[in-house]
Every structure is written in structure tokens, then in C-alpha cells.
Amino acid sequence: MSNSFQREQLCDGVHFSSVTDPKFKHNRITANLVIPLDRETVTDNAVVPFLLRKGCRSCPDFTRLNRKLYELYGASLACDVTKYGGCQSLDLSIYGVDDRFTLGGEEMVRPCAQLLTDILLDPAFADGVFPEKDVELERQQIIDVLESQINDKRFYAMSRCQSIMCEGEKIAIEKYGYIEDAHKITPASAADAYRRILRSAQIELLFVGCGNPATAKEIFRQAFSSVERAPVPVEPVHTRPRAEQVNEVTEQLDVAQSKLVLGFRTGGIGGDLKKLAAMRVMVALYGGTPNSRLFLHVREKQSLCYYCSARLNRLTGLMFVDSGVEKANKQKAYDEIMNQFRVMQRGEFTDDEITATKLLMQTSLNAVGDSLGAIDDWYMTQIMMGRVCSPEEESAMIEAVTREEIVEAAGQVTLDTVYFLTGKEAE
């Protein structure tokens, strides 16, 4: 990426960040409304960005909104809900061609930023609430998403393991909420959620692309200067650094393939970027790449799993190993997963394994700059961590990680939860 990351505060609880690179021909402008996860409000919150995406007062229905996007050289709008540690982020973004590439020299950054501002701050309310028809459609969409997550047994097992491991903590709350609450969403409850979010959220505005972000920044500055706000600070997640004992849970559902998930605590990395880099390399070497210990030894050589991988959540400091197994192989798979972890703790891996792992990680980091969406995601995660590190800087830190630091990182990790999802028909 050619230009460095820039960030500044526009007003209380509103920040504008930009990363520009002339190799692109488009710009992506994203508004992230970040609020602490709350079991009582998370589901109503989750429907808000999808309702906002339906239109605004200047484009009060989906047809006129899409016509406006077509006029902006086929610009596109996207929305979603993201989870960052103990926070829920409601995301709205617009993607459009830069001013330099229009046929008649028309401005694109200004109208795109203005449209996103209108959608965010001036929704198409009917009598002070979202239209009933829109709420019906998006309520069902949330229900469908939640049901699809339950049907995705790999996702479900990972989610259950984290919920059990972090019971009572914000990070155990699901980002889209819960089906029983989704059925209760009304136009009034969704409008109340929108007003509460607009008032209390920390708002992160990101401009990524080839254009000049100054125009978009000024539009946002003026728009938010008249919004009454009382933003709630976003607190970092603090989880227990070590497990005192191992919690084992077995559940049964109608599944053909059993799921074995192991949750680990990584010792509390905090703000130490050097320790984070070492932990990331350790997790990748253990189970995060196609040449990792888990893939080669548990899956390939011993054929104990259909899949087996490890991943680290850098915001929570939790590591998970998830695998798909036959019920009869559960204990063997568990034993070998833990055996390979003890290999990591003893440092019984080769220098070639370290080199190959670093190269794969660095290749992935190099690819961040190839996509506006990937750049946006990268820097939003950095912001939520409370410190900003470029992919190039992280690649250099990974290169500097030593064997001793990898072994030390593995030594900080303790097993907390063993979750096993198996089929009822296996009885």
C-alpha cells in the first residue's frame, strides 16, 4: 500500500480514517457503528443496518435508491454486522468509481459520501418508525441467518465452545442475536434501537481507495456536528489469561459428522505486539496452515479427522482447535491434538517448518493490499485493538520471531474447554 494510515477525530466519538493507494480505480467508504455487546439489545441492533440499507428520505424506497446508485456509475451499497471482541459493529459501506475515471469528469466521492451520510442519519421513517413491510422482510432475514448458523454444524460447535468457555462475558454474545428475540422485532423496537445506537455508538468512518478523502471527511464532519450524541467508550476485552481446570461438555444433535472443539487461553498478551507476533506464528505452525502440525499429523498421516485447524482471536486472546471426527475416533483425535501441542511446547519442530509457516503468513499479509475490502477489514481490526500496525509492519515482526519465542508462546497456553458435538443416532 502506497500511503500510510491516517486517522483523526471529527467530533466526540466520531473518527475518520483513510488509506489511499493509486493502483485502485474505486473508493470504499464505510461507517462502522460500534457498541458494547448486550444480550438484551443485540438482536434489535442487528437488524438496523439492513433496514437502513432500504433507503433514506431522499431515496425513500429500494427502487429509487438503486436508481441513484446506477446514476453513480453503478455504485454499490453493502451492510453487515461484525463482532470485535466484546463489541458489536453495525457496518454500512458504499463502493464507487473515483472522480478521475468518470466519462465527463463528474464528482463521485462527494455524492457517494453524501448518500452514505443520508442513509446513516436520515432514514426513510414512516411516522417516526421504520416501515412495517421493511421490518417484516429484514426480521425474517435475521431469523434465516440465525437458523443457517445452527444448520452449519462447524460454526455452531465453535460458537457453543466459546459460549461455554466465556459464559457470562460479553464475548459469548452472538453478533446477530437470538431467534427468540428476532421474532419480537417491531418497527418501533428497531427505530428505538437505531436512535440509541446513533446516540451512543463509537463511530469509525473509513475511506479506502485511490481518491482524495478530504471531501468525504468534510461531509461527515458537517453532518455529525449537528447530531446530538453521548458516545459510550469502547472498553478492551479482558478474559482470564489461564485455565484453572478443563471443562468437558458433550451435546447431541442430528449430525452425521461429530465436531470436536478445544478452547485454549493464551496467557494474556495485552498490548505487546512482539508477543502477539510470536503467538500468531505458534498458532499457525500448530494448526493454521496446510503444512501445520495438526494438518499433517492428525489429518493426513493418521486420518483421525476430516479437518483439523487452529485459529487465534487476537482481540480476545483465545485459541480454538476445531475438527470434524467420527465418534469412534474422538479420543484418539483428542490425544493426538494434545500430543502435537506438547510438541510445540517442547520445540520439537524443524527450522524448515518455521520458515514455511512464516512465508505463508507473509504471503497472506501481502495480499491485504490487493483488495479495498481487505484493507478496510484490516485497519478496522487494528483500530479495535487500540493500536495500528500496517500489514508490512506485522510481516516484519513475524519475520523476527525466533524459535525460543514460539516455544515461550506455546508455554503460555492452557486448555480450558473440550466441546464435543455428536449425533443422536450414534447412541
Side-chain angles (χ1 to χ4, degrees), residues 118-138:
D118 290 345
I119 290 169
L120 185 62
L121 301 181
D122 195 13
F125 279 163
D127 298 323
V129 299
F130 288 106
E132 175 71 40
K133 183 177 179 181
D134 289 348
V135 173
E136 288 178 3
L137 290 171
E138 298 309 325

Side-chain angles (χ1 to χ4, degrees), residues 359-410:
L359 285 173
L360 283 167
M361 295 178 72
Q362 290 170 322
T363 298
S364 178
L365 287 166
N366 290 339
V368 169
D370 295 339
S371 158
L372 295 180
I375 297 170
D376 186 302
D377 292 344
W378 172 270
Y379 281 103
M380 186 59 196
T381 300
Q382 299 293 306
I383 290 169
M384 292 305 298
M385 289 179 67
R387 54 189 184 273
V388 175
C389 176
S390 71
E392 294 81 4
E393 289 169 334
E394 180 146 328
S395 182
M397 285 189 287
I398 285 171
E399 181 62 36
V401 171
T402 65
R403 167 184 289 275
E404 292 73 24
E405 289 169 337
I406 295 172
V407 174
E408 181 182 356

Side-chain angles (χ1 to χ4, degrees), residues 259-264 286-287 293-295 297-299 302 304-305 307-310 319-325 329-345 415 418:
K259 311 295 181 186
L260 176 63
V261 184
L262 280 63
F264 297 80
Y286 176 45
R293 305 293 301 185
L294 292 181
F295 185 87
H297 293 270
V298 184
R299 184 186 185 277
Q302 299 194 39
L304 293 172
C305 304
Y307 60 86
C308 190
S309 63
M319 181 180 84
F320 293 93
V321 172
D322 76 314
S323 59
V325 302
N329 285 337
K330 184 251 186 178
Q331 190 60 46
K332 290 181 180 178
Y334 169 81
D335 290 343
E336 189 56 31
I337 288 169
M338 293 306 298
N339 176 52
Q340 291 303 320
F341 187 66
R342 287 188 288 272
V343 167
M344 297 300 301
Q345 291 179 315
L415 177 62
V418 178

Side-chain angles (χ1 to χ4, degrees), residues 17-42:
S17 304
S18 63
V19 181
T20 55
D21 191 327
K23 74 182 177 190
F24 295 107
K25 293 182 173 63
H26 293 77
N27 302 302
R28 175 186 170 115
I29 310 172
T30 304
N32 304 276
L33 286 73
V34 184
I35 47 180
L37 280 161
D38 186 315
R39 176 62 180 80
E40 298 301 315
T41 60
V42 64

Side-chain angles (χ1 to χ4, degrees), residues 7-22:
R7 184 169 186 255
E8 67 178 270
Q9 181 171 324
L10 300 186
C11 53
D12 190 16
V14 181
H15 289 81
F16 182 88
S17 304
S18 63
V19 181
T20 55
D21 191 327

